[in-house]
């Protein structure tokens, strides 16, 4: 579904990604792991079209995306939930969810889609008319994920979804990822909590200094203490 080949990206003169190649098949959960600064966020941003300078190839459902702007990638079925969530202040939970449909061809079905997403995220269903930024960090993260899911993307990229969230909500969130997968959504996940992430993923790529240094099945990586110690913050 997603194929990245020899992807390079720069911040000014700094060469942040160097020949990154990876692929994600339909229905998989694939995890990107590596220490702080390894290039995980930059990889997701490059896939979504948010890096000023990127070279190489990013194909999604057979289409080359590298020259396409982010809104075209969104329309093709890619979604990205950045680490910083971007919940809009002054808007309720429902209004934030509506923002997820602004550029979507599903917009006419807004009320129905909000009901559907509320059924998947009961914590949000109870808080639809609450100002979103008054919720806990974990609930806001759920909202950011729900807002990306409401337009029914084929592939969702999540950057550190468990960051700063209390354990009970993290468990709930990971259960949710399993059910997203069961419903056919493909997931590319960046996660510091390597054990947890590998517990739900099929495969993983390890990044270091902007390059892929290892790839393996999640099961093999879970058992590989040497790689985990060398490249991951565990
Ligand atoms: P983290 O978990 O800390 O976010 P990461 O693996 O996601 O780590 P990236 O954020 O992709 O890493 O960063 C890759 C490299 O690019 C790092 O050396 C980082 O300092 C640099 N970098 C990231 N964002 C910028 C930016 N806006 N301007 C300049 N350099 C940046």
């Amino acid at each position: 579904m997603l194929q990245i080949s020899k992807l390079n990206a720069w911040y000014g003169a700094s060469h942040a990604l160097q020949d990154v190649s990876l692929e994600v098949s339909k229905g998989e959960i694939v995890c990107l792991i590596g220490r702080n600064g390894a290039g995980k966020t930059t990889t997701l941003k490059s896939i979504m079209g948010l890096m000023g300078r990127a070279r190489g190839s990013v194909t999604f459902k057979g289409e080359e995306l590298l020259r396409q702007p982010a809104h075209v990638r969104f329309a093709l079925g890619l979604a990205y939930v950045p680490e910083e969530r971007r919940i809009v202040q002054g808007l309720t939970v429902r209004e934030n969810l509506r923002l997820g449909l602004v550029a979507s061809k599903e917009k006419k079905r807004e009320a129905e889609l909000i009901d559907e997403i509320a059924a998947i995220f009961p914590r949000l269903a109870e808080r639809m008319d609450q100002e979103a930024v008054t919720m806990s960090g974990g609930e806001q993260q759920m909202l950011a994920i729900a807002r990306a899911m409401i337009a029914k993307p084929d592939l969702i990229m999540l950057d550190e979804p468990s960051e700063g969230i209390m354990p009970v909500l993290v468990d709930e969130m990971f259960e949710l990822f399993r059910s997203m997968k069961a419903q056919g959504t493909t997931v590319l996940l960046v996660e510091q909590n390597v054990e947890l992430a590998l517990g739900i993923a099929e495969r993983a790529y390890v990044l270091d200094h902007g390059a892929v240094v290892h790839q393996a099945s999640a099961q093999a990586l879970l058992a590989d203490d040497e790689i985990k110690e060398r490249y991951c913050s565990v």
Side-chain angles (χ1 to χ4, degrees):
M1 171 174 272
L2 177 72
Q3 271 175 323
I4 295 162
S5 173
K6 294 193 181 274
L7 180 64
N8 286 265
W10 290 262
Y11 293 103
S14 161
H15 193 176
L17 291 187
Q18 305 190 15
D19 284 341
V20 168
S21 297
L22 59 87
E23 55 181 67
V24 183
S25 301
K26 189 169 165 44
E28 275 191 311
I29 297 182
V30 173
C31 194
L32 286 184
I33 56 186
R35 292 189 191 283
N36 287 340
K40 306 179 298 294
T41 298
T42 307
T43 302
L44 299 190
K45 280 163 68 179
S46 304
I47 296 169
M48 200 62 214
L50 303 172
M51 287 298 290
R53 193 172 159 218
R55 296 283 179 274
S57 167
V58 174
T59 52
F60 178 58
K61 298 194 292 189
E63 287 203 41
E64 175 56 56
L65 294 188
L66 204 77
R67 304 269 166 266
Q68 302 287 2
H71 69 90
V72 171
R73 304 185 195 206
F74 169 81
L76 278 170
L78 267 181
Y80 170 50
V81 182
E83 197 174 350
E84 65 274 15
R85 296 174 201 149
R86 304 201 188 126
I87 299 305
V88 182
Q89 245 184 338
L91 297 188
T92 63
V93 169
R94 185 188 309 279
E95 288 161 344
N96 268 279
L97 286 172
R98 280 193 194 129
L99 290 179
L101 289 169
V102 165
S104 165
K105 50 186 181 306
E106 302 267 25
K107 194 168 166 33
K108 334 179 254 314
R109 295 175 53 223
E110 184 180 277
E112 196 184 322
L113 290 173
I114 289 182
D115 285 348
E116 273 180 40
I117 210 84
I120 303 171
F121 293 83
R123 275 174 192 274
L124 300 181
E126 292 162 14
R127 296 169 173 80
M128 279 292 175
D129 299 311
Q130 184 174 335
E131 190 181 340
V133 292
T134 62
M135 296 195 299
S136 75
E139 289 160 357
Q140 290 187 43
Q141 183 64 275
M142 293 281 200
L143 174 57
I145 297 168
R147 190 178 53 190
M149 288 296 297
I150 197 167
K152 301 190 182 293
D154 298 306
L155 189 150
I156 185 165
M157 297 184 282
L158 301 161
D159 197 352
E160 307 277 5
S162 76
E163 175 80 11
I165 293 176
M166 58 182 176
V168 55
L169 266 189
V170 172
D171 290 345
E172 211 175 285
M173 193 180 290
F174 273 69
E175 270 313 307
L176 188 78
F177 298 158
R178 278 186 220 273
S179 58
M180 274 159 49
K181 183 183 139 122
Q183 287 165 23
T185 309
T186 305
V187 181
L188 181 56
L189 175 66
V190 166
E191 182 54 65
Q192 290 283 355
N193 191 333
V194 171
E195 306 279 330
L196 193 61
L198 292 177
I200 62 163
E202 268 84 23
R203 294 184 304 111
Y205 291 86
V206 182
L207 286 173
D208 191 45
H209 291 95
V212 173
V213 290
H214 190 72
Q215 55 173 301
S217 71
Q219 224 177 359
L221 207 54
L222 263 177
D224 193 336
D225 291 337
E226 195 197 323
I227 292 279
K228 282 190 291 180
E229 265 163 42
R230 186 161 358 143
Y231 295 115
C232 310
S233 336
V234 288

